[in-house]
């Protein structure tokens, strides 16, 4: 019985099982060839291939040298930044726009978020209790509020007795939130106050309800020591008017919406989201039903557009393009999107038309192949119009690699987003490496460590479907405990939730 046939219960058993298995379908050298580059020999017997040049082809000519993975990401980011700051054509849409708060979620701030008011804008009570003035015990003020601070509920017709007129002496629960304190609080007195209510002038502290009692003479006594200013939120405790709360480039989250509202905003100036046209290439792709007669289901069409939206883009269209150079040329040159993203056709096969089409369109190749596995045939080009094209490989996980290597940094800078600082985490298990290319390996977080997932071949989605992110494995691989750079996925929490309830067959 093979390891794949064993029944396992629980996530940890599955991960332990996978850690013992070689990576399937990765397109890498067989196990016998990996031994030379195994991380365990890195110190005593350095891997001679780690810094070696790419091998020669069968004809003896040197292969095209692919761009290093980190350099490719930097090129994509710089190109997006240049496009975002270049003068916009006369007919181009504005780069920024003001949107109401309720429409700003997921957009990016085009200017710093500056407080329009002090927060809080006046001294407020942090607790339900008693506002007191001076040392206690305190005489209790009558429970009443100024008539001017009450809604006018009196009937227009004096003869209408359905409502009772409210007078200045109508009993109330003290000072409520939303009602201004009418008069200063005399020394030696106390008045009930609600959380969030404005502190009356001359009040020196708030005594919590559970820490106070009244006696038969109508005096309030504190059962704990009272410190001046206690349980009072002073004006401008959080920020002063004019303080910068968030930088330009911050993504508007639900919490940012709340902060902006509290700071006095009704609308926000946001950067225009970059637009994308997705072109899914290939005559062999089915959009419905089971694979048959050499045809396969299109896995990239359903996946790419939502992924791009998670990266901050607006997808104009996702459409299939036949394996026809003329059709692809029209689709590329007629697109008005900021980014055209193609899937497949980036290699040198008989129907791989991306390179010839780009040459015909007068495009500049900024990245033509990346030293990363999977996904090395990816490319980045700048069209004559100033727009960009990212060519992804046709294999699903290789396409994901291209998304995170080239599309993500390009879209981030095009959209004015603040880059997230890179972070590293230790890997739990040894990870085989490529002799001279970076590897991107799906992983899950377990006990503050990265646990590589086994289904990481270029054509596989089973691993990335439950992954928290991709671990960046350097040439030569990584040993247990090595710190690896992490590329998080925006829906990692969803993957964790599904993994925790799965029966163990998720990778």
């Amino acid at each position: 019985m093979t390891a794949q046939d064993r029944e396992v219960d629980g996530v940890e058993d599955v991960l332990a099982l996978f850690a013992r298995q070689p990576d399937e379908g990765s397109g890498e050298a067989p196990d016998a060839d990996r031994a030379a580059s195994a991380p365990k020999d890195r110190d005593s017997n350095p891997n001679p291939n780690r810094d070696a040049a790419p091998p020669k082809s069968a004809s003896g000519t040197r292969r095209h040298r692919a761009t290093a993975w980190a350099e490719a990401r930097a090129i994509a980011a710089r190109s997006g930044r240049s496009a975002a700051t270049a003068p916009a054509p006369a007919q181009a849409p504005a780069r920024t726009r003001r949107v109401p708060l309720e429409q700003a979620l997921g957009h990016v701030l085009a200017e710093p978020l500056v407080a329009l008011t002090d927060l809080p804008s006046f001294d407020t009570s942090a607790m339900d209790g008693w506002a007191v003035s001076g040392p206690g015990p305190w005489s209790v003020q009558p429970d009443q509020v100024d008539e001017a601070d009450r809604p006018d509920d009196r009937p227009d017709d004096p003869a209408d007795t359905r409502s009772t007129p409210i007078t200045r002496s109508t009993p109330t629960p003290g000072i409520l939130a939303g009602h201004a304190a009418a008069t200063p609080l005399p020394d030696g007195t106390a008045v009930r106050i609600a959380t969030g209510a404005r502190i009356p002038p001359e009040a020196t502290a708030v005594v919590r309800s559970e820490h106070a009692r009244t006696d038969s003479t109508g005096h309030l006594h504190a059962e704990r020591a009272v410190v001046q200013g206690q349980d009072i939120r002073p004006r401008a405790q959080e920020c002063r008017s004019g303080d910068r709360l968030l930088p330009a480039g911050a993504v508007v989250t639900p919490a940012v919406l709340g902060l902006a509202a509290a700071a006095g905003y009704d609308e926000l100036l946001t950067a225009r989201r970059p637009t994308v046209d997705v072109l899914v290439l290939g005559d062999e792709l089915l959009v419905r039903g089971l694979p048959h007669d050499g045809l396969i289901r299109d896995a990239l069409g359903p996946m790419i557009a939502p992924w791009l939206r998670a990266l901050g883009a607006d997808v104009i269209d996702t459409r299939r393009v036949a394996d026809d150079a003329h059709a692809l040329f029209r689709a590329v040159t007629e697109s008005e999107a900021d980014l055209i993203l193609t899937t497949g056709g980036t290699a040198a096969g008989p129907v791989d038309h991306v390179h010839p089409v780009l040459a015909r369109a007068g495009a500049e190749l900024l990245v033509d192949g990346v030293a990363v596995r999977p996904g090395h045939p990816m490319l980045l080009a700048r069209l004559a119009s100033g727009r960009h094209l990212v060519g992804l490989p046709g294999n699903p996980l290789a396409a994901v690699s291209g998304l995170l290597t080239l599309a993500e940094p390009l879209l981030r800078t095009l959209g004015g987003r603040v880059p997230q600082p890179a972070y590293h985490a230790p890997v739990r298990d040894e990870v085989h490496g490529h002799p001279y290319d970076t590897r991107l390996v799906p992983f899950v977080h377990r006990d503050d460590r990265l646990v590589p997932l086994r289904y990481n071949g270029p054509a596989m989605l089973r691993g990335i479907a439950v992954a928290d992110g991709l671990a960046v494995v350097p040439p030569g691989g990584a040993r247990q405990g090595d710190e690896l750079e992490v590329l998080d996925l925006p829906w990692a929490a969803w993957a964790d939730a599904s993994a925790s309830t799965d029966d163990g067959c998720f990778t």
Side-chain angles (χ1 to χ4, degrees):
M1 179 182 295
T2 65
Q4 294 94 322
D5 295 328
R6 298 175 190 165
E7 293 184 0
V8 290
D9 295 319
V11 172
E12 290 303 318
D13 289 339
V14 176
L15 295 175
L17 172 63
F18 295 158
R20 296 194 298 268
Q21 300 299 318
D23 301 325
E24 290 188 355
S26 64
E28 298 179 2
D31 288 348
D33 297 331
R34 288 178 180 161
S37 61
K40 62 185 177 182
D41 298 328
R42 203 182 288 170
D43 297 329
S44 60
N45 182 22
N47 174 15
N49 292 322
R50 293 191 67 190
D51 300 314
K56 293 182 180 181
S57 65
S59 64
T61 59
R62 185 71 63 187
R63 287 184 189 172
H64 167 74
R65 182 178 290 275
T67 305
W69 178 79
E71 182 185 352
R73 283 174 57 83
I75 291 171
R78 287 197 301 269
S79 192
R81 190 178 299 112
S82 298
T85 56
Q91 301 302 319
R95 298 192 188 278
T96 63
R97 64 189 185 110
R98 294 198 175 274
V99 296
L101 283 185
E102 59 269 20
Q103 299 176 16
L105 184 65
H107 287 250
V108 173
L109 295 178
E111 63 182 3
L113 188 73
V114 176
L116 303 180
T117 181
D118 294 343
L119 283 181
S121 55
F122 46 81
D123 294 349
T124 62
S125 176
M127 294 288 170
D128 292 334
W130 300 84
V132 299
S133 179
W138 303 271
S139 61
V140 176
Q141 291 279 88
D143 282 344
Q144 60 183 18
V145 296
D146 195 309
E147 183 178 1
D149 295 323
R150 286 186 160 281
D152 188 359
D153 293 333
R154 302 176 187 176
D156 294 331
D157 183 357
D160 188 347
T161 59
R162 289 175 296 178
S163 299
T164 303
I166 297 176
T167 66
R168 291 177 62 91
S169 60
T170 302
T172 71
I175 303 173
L176 302 178
H179 296 272
T183 58
L185 189 62
D187 186 53
T189 61
V191 65
R192 287 188 184 275
I193 194 165
T195 302
R198 185 170 186 170
I199 297 293
E202 308 303 330
T204 56
V206 170
V207 180
R208 302 183 185 189
S209 298
E210 61 268 27
H211 298 162
R213 61 180 177 81
T214 55
D215 60 22
S216 59
T217 65
H219 284 78
L220 179 76
H221 298 261
E223 296 181 337
R224 297 188 182 185
V226 176
V227 179
Q228 183 162 345
Q230 75 177 29
D231 286 327
I232 294 177
R233 295 190 183 115
R235 178 173 181 166
Q237 181 185 48
E238 185 171 1
C239 67
R240 293 191 178 278
S241 179
D243 283 355
R244 193 173 88 153
L245 306 177
L246 291 170
V251 178
V252 179
T253 63
V256 170
L257 290 177
L259 177 62
Y265 285 85
D266 299 318
E267 58 184 17
L268 296 173
L269 183 69
T270 63
R272 181 177 67 84
R273 290 164 65 93
T275 55
V276 186
D277 270 335
V278 179
L279 308 179
V280 181
L281 313 182
D283 291 340
E284 75 280 13
L285 301 177
L286 294 169
V287 296
R288 296 182 184 280
L290 296 175
H292 62 87
D293 300 327
L295 302 177
I296 61 173
R297 280 295 297 268
D298 170 26
L300 296 182
M303 178 177 73
I304 296 295
W307 204 307
L308 291 169
R309 293 187 185 102
L311 295 178
D314 283 337
V315 178
I316 298 175
D317 192 17
T318 299
R319 62 184 184 275
R320 294 182 59 198
V321 178
D323 285 326
D324 179 275
H326 297 293
L328 179 59
F329 179 81
R330 286 194 304 272
V332 168
T333 55
E334 293 174 3
S335 173
E336 296 183 354
D338 300 307
L339 170 64
I340 302 148
L341 192 143
T342 62
T343 67
T346 56
V351 292
D352 291 335
H353 299 303
V354 174
H355 280 91
V357 162
L358 290 174
R360 180 183 171 191
E364 176 188 4
L365 276 173
L366 304 177
V367 175
D368 187 10
V370 178
V372 66
R373 304 299 174 105
H376 62 281
M378 68 182 75
L379 61 84
L380 169 64
R382 182 163 47 225
L383 303 174
S385 62
R387 298 180 173 92
H388 288 82
L389 182 143
V390 168
L392 303 181
N395 278 321
L397 188 58
V400 169
S401 174
L403 277 173
L404 296 181
T405 301
L406 296 177
E408 186 277 330
L410 178 74
L411 290 170
R412 171 169 38 82
T413 52
L414 270 176
R417 292 188 175 217
V418 174
Q420 295 296 315
Y423 78 95
H424 296 71
V427 64
R428 194 187 75 174
D429 308 315
E430 177 181 318
V431 186
H432 293 294
H434 191 274
Y436 46 82
D437 287 354
T438 298
R439 283 190 67 202
L440 300 182
V441 178
F443 74 87
V444 291
H445 287 290
R446 291 292 182 271
D447 299 325
D448 298 325
R449 288 180 175 259
L450 311 178
V451 180
L453 297 174
R454 171 183 161 206
Y455 291 94
N456 53 38
M460 298 180 178
L461 287 174
R462 192 174 171 185
I464 194 68
V466 296
D468 294 331
L470 293 174
V472 182
V473 181
R479 292 176 296 190
Q480 182 181 27
D482 281 357
E483 297 270 337
L484 300 181
E485 183 177 348
V486 172
L487 301 178
D488 277 328
L489 302 181
W491 46 87
W494 304 351
D496 280 345
S498 64
S500 65
T501 58
D502 200 273
D503 63 2
C505 187
F506 65 92
T507 51

